[in-house]
Amino acid sequence: MPTPNKTRTAIPGARRSVATPRDLARLRAAITAFFFLDGFVFAGWVARIPAIKDQTSASAGALGLALLGVSAGGTATMMATGRLCRRFGSHPTTVASGVLLAGSVALPPLTHSALALGLVLLVFGTGFGALNVAMNSAAVDLIAALRRPVMPGFHAAFSLGGMAGAGLGGLIADQLSPTRHLSLLAVFGLLLAAAAGRTLISLPVPTPQGGPGPAAKPGPATSSEPTTEPEPAAETESATEPALATKAESAAKAGPAAETERATVGPEHTAPPEPSPVAERPGRARWLVAVFGLIALCTAYGEGAMADWAALHLHQDLDASAGLAAAGYSVFALMMAVGRLSGTALLERLGQTRALIAGGTTAAAGMLLGSLSPMIWLALLGFAVTGLGLANLFPVAIARAGALTGPGGVAAASTLGYGGMLLGPPTIGFLADWYSLPIALTTVAALAAVAAVVAYGTRNAVRPAGS
């Protein structure tokens, strides 16, 4: 008598489910490690941008063009990474992307011209873009199985990694050359990718309790068919879990037939949702994915600007030392981590729309203070407030896009979002040449306000369960 897992594995393109809480916990830890790796490596690179700028004798405009290499590599790779995830799976793609990102961070300090820097940043951007799409896709699959809004927790690991990378960079900026620092960073990143990757590859993509959801559908339907499942409400999770347990026990007694029926019908038996107008109108779902992608873009623009220009603003405009300048991004990343660690509770208390509006408004006020203040400590305070405001905007936007159309929505919204992160820094470089860096940084406040306005304007566009 075949087991339910064997019956499902026999279907082409399907994979067995992660069956135990221990496996889900191991998978969550491995994905979290890759989010940490991404933030740590990226922050280590940005902490050395002032030194590499001096090494290459690049102007602000030339540096902006060189940073465009990260943008070009990342944006060109993101949609392709979505296809790689569908072809090979999000777990192997995450591991390969992490290895590429960690290895390529050692290349920028080997360059001595803006052109050479831009070329190696093209490789670095490829790894950065691929890893962000792949690990977010893996996270959405796991969230569907856990049935909890834990995406802010994964992005908290990215922020903690950024804080650690920037803090370490600030401590050793005056002791180690950029070449030695980033080479050591590459070695650490490769070791972490190997350790976490072993766990990630050994575990399959999880199946949501009660049947496969949008993230678990095999084959082309994963990317092309919009999901008809609204995201479960946080307040109904505790009521749903006993029903899921009862149904799981019944399925175990009934054998493969019950498992087949459950996989076909889906989890709506456990908590019947109201019909979703978005599910009935795929065109509207795609439009909403674009809207959430716009919110992600406005948010990521600020993250990219803080990563690449905060240290230079403190050092160049406010005469901060190299170590203190590196602390600018560190306090920003710290407050993003604090906001994201409390993100799940915040979303359950305020709801998504109010959380997005409050976050965008807070970030806009903080960035105006950080960019225009003539005092270092006020600028650092502004950066901290900005990090707190931006903390949950991006993860909420990506999670909602994934809930609407599955991994295809994750790839599309991630491409728009990280496009903002990668295109923002060169844009600020040009504006800094035309006006000044403080004025250029106020565009971060403007786009944070746009994200709040867009969130308010679309507050009634979709009402999944629990929103």
Side-chain angles (χ1 to χ4, degrees):
M1 179 72 106
T3 65
N5 278 343
K6 289 182 180 178
T7 302
R8 181 177 292 150
T9 305
I11 302 172
R15 302 185 65 184
R16 70 176 178 85
S17 168
V18 175
T20 67
R22 181 175 179 274
D23 285 340
L24 290 173
R26 291 176 60 210
L27 184 56
R28 185 175 180 179
I31 296 173
T32 300
F34 276 99
F35 273 87
F36 179 89
L37 168 68
D38 190 34
F40 186 76
V41 170
F42 191 75
W45 140 246
V46 301
R48 304 316 299 257
I49 285 178
I52 293 175
K53 177 180 181 291
D54 293 339
Q55 177 179 301
T56 58
S57 302
S59 65
L63 180 62
L65 283 174
L67 294 174
L68 194 61
V70 182
S71 307
T75 55
T77 304
M78 285 178 178
M79 293 307 295
T81 303
R83 292 190 289 271
L84 290 175
C85 289
R86 292 191 292 272
R87 175 66 178 85
F88 300 104
S90 60
H91 293 181
T93 306
T94 297
V95 176
S97 302
V99 169
L100 177 60
L101 177 72
S104 62
V105 75
L107 299 178
L110 303 179
T111 63
H112 297 280
S113 69
L115 176 61
L117 178 62
L119 292 175
V120 300
L121 289 180
L122 186 69
V123 179
F124 181 73
T126 298
F128 181 76
L131 178 59
N132 277 283
V133 171
M135 69 184 183
N136 272 292
S137 297
V140 167
D141 290 339
L142 181 59
I143 289 168
L146 294 174
R147 294 188 174 276
R148 292 196 63 214
V150 297
M151 182 66 90
F154 290 120
H155 286 259
F158 174 84
S159 296
L160 289 172
M163 180 189 67
L168 180 62
L171 288 175
I172 66 178
D174 297 326
Q175 282 76 39
L176 290 181
S177 67
T179 301
R180 183 170 297 182
H181 171 205
L182 296 185
S183 296
L184 292 173
L185 182 61
V187 171
F188 173 80
L190 290 171
L191 291 175
L192 181 58
R198 181 178 180 183
T199 300
L200 196 60
I201 291 178
S202 68
L203 295 173
V205 174
T207 299
Q209 300 182 55
K217 291 178 183 178
T222 301
S223 61
S224 60
E225 293 297 330
T227 176
T228 58
E229 260 184 44
E231 184 178 282
E235 56 266 80
T236 62
E237 287 170 6
S238 59
T240 304
E241 287 172 0
L244 289 173
T246 303
K247 186 167 183 66
E249 293 172 4
S250 301
K253 293 177 182 178
E259 175 66 22
T260 303
E261 179 185 357
R262 184 171 60 144
T264 302
V265 176
E268 55 269 14
H269 281 274
T270 60
E274 293 295 324
S276 170
V278 173
E280 296 169 0
R281 297 167 61 182
R284 179 172 176 148
R286 287 190 291 269
W287 175 79
L288 285 170
V289 166
V291 169
F292 287 120
L294 176 61
I295 293 175
L297 184 150
C298 294
T299 306
Y301 179 96
E303 292 189 50
M306 290 298 301
D308 285 355
W309 294 104
L312 193 60
H313 168 59
L314 293 172
H315 180 65
Q316 171 183 289
D317 299 317
L318 301 181
D319 296 322
S321 66
L324 186 57
Y329 182 72
S330 183
V331 297
F332 170 81
L334 171 63
M335 294 312 295
M336 285 200 80
V338 170
R340 287 171 172 175
L341 287 171
S342 59
T344 298
L346 181 70
L347 291 172
E348 291 173 344
R349 182 175 182 83
L350 295 182
Q352 293 175 353
T353 297
R354 280 184 288 180
L356 289 173
I357 294 171
T361 304
T362 301
M367 198 61 210
L368 287 175
L369 176 63
S371 60
L372 300 179
S373 172
M375 303 176 65
I376 294 176
W377 72 270
L378 279 178
L380 291 173
L381 176 62
F383 292 163
V385 173
T386 303
L388 189 63
L390 293 179
N392 293 303
L393 272 64
F394 190 92
V396 168
I398 297 299
R400 289 307 304 133
L404 285 169
T405 60
V410 175
S414 295
T415 301
L416 286 171
Y418 285 107
M421 175 178 282
L422 300 174
L423 291 173
T427 300
I428 289 178
F430 289 125
L431 291 174
D433 271 350
W434 293 336
Y435 302 101
S436 68
L437 184 53
I439 294 299
L441 287 174
T442 61
T443 59
V444 174
L447 287 184
V450 168
V453 170
V454 170
Y456 180 79
T458 57
R459 64 194 181 281
N460 295 321
V462 57
R463 289 192 176 277
S467 63

